[in-house]
Amino acid sequence: QVQLVESGGGSVQSGGSLRLWCVASGSSFRINTWEWYRRAPGSQRELVARITSGGITDYLYSVKDRFTISRDNAKNTVYLQMNRLKAEDTAVYYCSADWMTGVPEAGHSWGQGTRVTVSS
């Protein structure tokens, strides 16, 4: 099993920036695809950004050109740089990952979430 822990959430004014990160831990694993999701109050969870093992990225249209997802495979970490934040970005952000071990075993894990609050 692979465990994910997010960090970096907080409160910021509109137009500000925050950086989230998520660290994976476990035994002999490899992360294939990382994703960031968010769930705003009263809304459904939505996919914010994705990065594949080959570095291909994809973004929710409303965050494109403001958010950047990146990964550091050596540190088993994914980042989400969020710039020009808006009030509508307020949500709990979750990282998730598709992983494989050497057994082989494959699975999908979720982090516990980190809250981002943007005040206007």
Side-chain angles (χ1 to χ4, degrees), residues 15-93:
S17 298
L18 281 175
R19 190 190 199 200
L20 308 182
W21 64 96
C22 176
V23 181
S25 61
S27 297
S28 302
F29 65 95
R30 174 172 56 91
I31 302 292
N32 292 325
T33 298
W34 285 101
E35 294 173 329
W36 284 99
Y37 286 81
R38 68 185 182 188
R39 176 172 282 162
S43 299
Q44 292 188 332
R45 184 179 64 195
E46 60 183 356
L47 176 62
V48 176
R50 171 190 289 130
I51 184 167
T52 68
S53 57
I56 296 172
T57 59
D58 192 23
Y59 296 92
L60 178 69
Y61 182 78
S62 63
V63 308
K64 215 167 185 178
D65 299 327
R66 297 189 297 122
F67 290 10
T68 302
I69 188 172
S70 60
R71 61 190 290 168
D72 185 333
N73 294 330
K75 295 182 179 179
N76 293 316
T77 300
V78 66
Y79 304 93
L80 185 68
Q81 178 66 43
M82 306 185 294
N83 298 328
R84 304 197 311 275
L85 282 160
K86 304 176 180 180
E88 50 263 44
D89 295 318
T90 295
V92 178
Y93 285 71

Side-chain angles (χ1 to χ4, degrees), residues 88-108:
E88 50 263 44
D89 295 318
T90 295
V92 178
Y93 285 71
Y94 301 87
C95 68
S96 73
D98 290 319
W99 49 264
M100 291 188 66
T101 71
V103 175
E105 177 187 5
H108 188 85

